[in-house]
Amino acid sequence: MDKYRIDSHKLLYHVDRVSDWLKGKNIYPIYMEIAPSGSCNHRCVYCGLDFMRYAPQFLDTKKFHIRLSEMASLGVKSIMYAGEGEPLLHKDIAAIVRHTKKCGIDAAITTNGVLLKEKLLKEMMPATTWIKVSVDAATPKTYAQIHNTREQDFNTMIENLTYAAGVRKKNHYACTLGMQLILLPQNYQEVVALAKKAKAIGMDYLVVKPYSQHPLSITTKYENIKYRRYRGLAEELRALNSKSFNVVFREHTMQKWDEGGHAYAHCLGLPFWAYIDACGNVWACSIYLSKEKFCLGNIYKNTFRQIMESPKRKKLLRFAQEKLDTSQCRVNCRMDEINRYLWDLKNPSEHVNFI
């Protein structure tokens, strides 16, 4: 059971925001993805943001805290700290997460987990809704090959997550802990072993998801991968599910990847989310990072309200909804399921009144 709707979407829980959008009102993001760090301590073979070059850029903590308070007042409800680098490389990541929560915004982190040490966990976990760690293997050797790092990093990451589960249990924290694996030819034989390991050390879930080719990525090694041959894993993984642990095998997303294309002609989902890179630039879409047309402003130069209300954003959103060719977009992009939902609302089939 995918109780967190990881293989679907949660926009249906934000009826008021969707209703305003249908009425043509300017919509502020519900969810944002923010990169505290442009630098990364790994070089994963599947990295979609390799074209950003892992620049040693970091968000200015003081200035970002001001923007966080403003974002909360304008209706931003959640932030995932991830992006083009490893978020835990930011020296103030714990303070950023705590301030996010203090402002009333749900905070989450996607990380490789190697830097998830005791002190950081104790400072950050009480204010964090969930932490998801990219693992991608069940053995140090395969992990090192996929993450382009030392084998010891695998052991360190497992030790950190084991400790995190213990801290959570001891202190009754609500923070959800999960692992994620990008299914590749190098690791498909280790998926079941990783699921067993995740369950044994106290994780809440393991997500198994397909690769997705970023249009700007330097990496093209997996652009023709097909997932039909791997779907048999679903049944074996399902047997590991329990009340406290779940494997989310994203079979629906794998099927969409194999079939290619999109179920909508244009992009309708951009009003509901935004991306901020490690330099403070605000982007309408992470598929078009480095494309000036999609850069809406910078949080060091403009208020969040100015950026969200700007003529440039309004023009860009109209372009996305009316002209953007989604055949050139990333298959299974972050907004894919939301786009499918919104497209159906705007383009209903026949007989919709027969509910």
Side-chain angles (χ1 to χ4, degrees):
M1 178 181 175
D2 181 12
K3 72 175 183 177
Y4 302 113
R5 299 184 68 89
I6 293 172
D7 204 27
S8 181
H9 73 91
K10 287 164 277 216
L11 195 57
L12 71 167
Y13 297 113
H14 301 278
V15 177
D16 55 342
R17 203 80 60 107
V18 175
S19 177
D20 285 344
W21 175 77
L22 286 169
K23 294 173 183 175
K25 296 182 181 181
N26 187 46
I27 301 300
Y28 281 77
I30 295 171
Y31 161 78
M32 296 187 66
E33 184 173 329
I34 297 177
S37 165
S39 183
C40 192
N41 53 343
H42 286 181
R43 292 292 184 272
C44 300
V45 295
Y46 57 77
C47 182
L49 296 181
D50 51 7
F51 64 94
M52 299 290 282
R53 303 292 184 180
Y54 313 107
Q57 303 282 351
F58 301 91
L59 283 179
D60 183 292
T61 305
K62 186 175 180 180
K63 293 177 181 178
F64 182 56
H65 278 189
I66 295 172
R67 290 290 167 260
L68 276 173
S69 301
E70 184 192 5
M71 290 175 194
S73 71
L74 294 171
V76 173
K77 294 182 179 295
S78 65
I79 292 174
M80 179 178 74
Y81 291 107
E84 66 265 25
E86 166 53 50
L88 301 190
L89 283 171
H90 195 293
K91 64 182 179 63
D92 295 326
I93 186 61
I96 288 173
V97 168
R98 291 198 306 270
H99 190 71
T100 304
K101 185 65 175 178
K102 182 180 178 181
C103 291
I105 300 174
D106 293 339
I109 295 178
T110 295
T111 170
N112 59 44
V114 176
L115 301 175
L116 203 59
K117 299 298 184 180
E118 296 180 17
K119 182 176 184 294
L120 184 59
L121 274 167
K122 290 178 179 178
E123 292 177 346
M124 196 168 59
M125 188 176 278
T128 309
T129 301
W130 53 260
I131 298 172
K132 181 169 62 181
V133 176
S134 298
V135 180
D136 305 307
T139 63
K141 182 178 180 180
T142 304
Y143 177 87
Q145 290 172 346
I146 293 176
H147 281 238
N148 271 318
T149 189
R150 305 171 305 158
E151 291 188 13
Q152 179 56 36
D153 277 2
F154 177 83
N155 298 321
T156 300
M157 174 270 300
I158 293 296
E159 290 170 4
N160 291 345
L161 287 178
T162 303
Y163 179 78
V167 169
R168 179 181 62 175
K169 183 177 181 180
K170 179 180 178 180
N171 294 282
H172 306 287
Y173 293 145
C175 180
T176 299
L177 298 172
M179 289 181 175
Q180 176 175 281
L181 177 141
I182 305 292
L183 191 56
L184 302 170
Q186 295 101 307
N187 64 16
Y188 77 96
Q189 292 180 319
E190 298 185 11
V191 175
V192 175
L194 180 61
K196 291 178 179 178
K197 187 181 293 289
K199 185 176 183 178
I201 67 172
M203 297 296 98
D204 295 298
Y205 65 80
L206 168 68
V207 175
V208 181
K209 63 185 287 188
Y211 172 78
S212 179
Q213 181 68 44
H214 194 296
L216 299 178
S217 180
I218 299 169
T219 302
T220 58
K221 181 177 181 179
Y222 305 106
E223 63 180 348
N224 295 316
I225 189 173
K226 295 296 180 184
Y227 283 96
R228 194 171 297 107
R229 61 177 290 203
Y230 302 125
R231 291 182 196 167
L233 286 168
E235 191 64 33
E236 191 172 359
L237 291 168
R238 197 175 294 121
L240 297 173
N241 291 343
S242 66
K243 289 183 179 180
S244 60
F245 178 77
N246 187 38
V247 180
V248 182
F249 189 78
R250 299 189 62 176
E251 192 168 7
H252 174 54
T253 306
M254 293 178 194
Q255 182 178 350
K256 289 188 296 180
W257 169 263
D258 284 354
E259 293 173 352
H262 297 83
Y264 40 88
H266 309 301
C267 182
L268 308 182
L270 297 188
F272 298 91
W273 98 298
Y275 182 99
I276 299 180
D277 67 24
C279 295
N281 296 308
V282 182
W283 299 87
C285 178
S286 61
I287 303 304
Y288 295 98
L289 293 175
S290 80
K291 302 293 183 182
E292 177 60 30
K293 183 175 185 175
F294 287 82
C295 184
L296 305 178
N298 186 285
I299 60 172
Y300 302 148
K301 300 176 182 178
N302 316 100
T303 67
F304 195 65
R305 182 186 292 275
Q306 287 172 339
I307 294 170
M308 291 295 109
E309 296 283 352
S310 67
K312 183 173 185 179
R313 181 176 186 250
K314 293 175 182 178
K315 182 179 179 181
L316 188 278
L317 294 182
R318 283 198 303 271
F319 165 77
Q321 293 181 20
E322 298 172 4
K323 297 181 180 180
L324 180 66
D325 181 7
T326 56
S327 68
Q328 304 302 309
C329 291
R330 189 177 194 173
V331 176
N332 289 328
C333 79
R334 187 81 71 195
M335 293 289 104
D336 183 67
E337 284 296 318
I338 285 175
N339 266 315
R340 289 168 181 259
Y341 172 65
L342 296 174
W343 188 262
D344 284 346
L345 288 179
K346 282 280 192 176
N347 303 274
S349 61
E350 296 179 80
H351 308 163
V352 295
N353 292 334
F354 293 86
I355 61 173

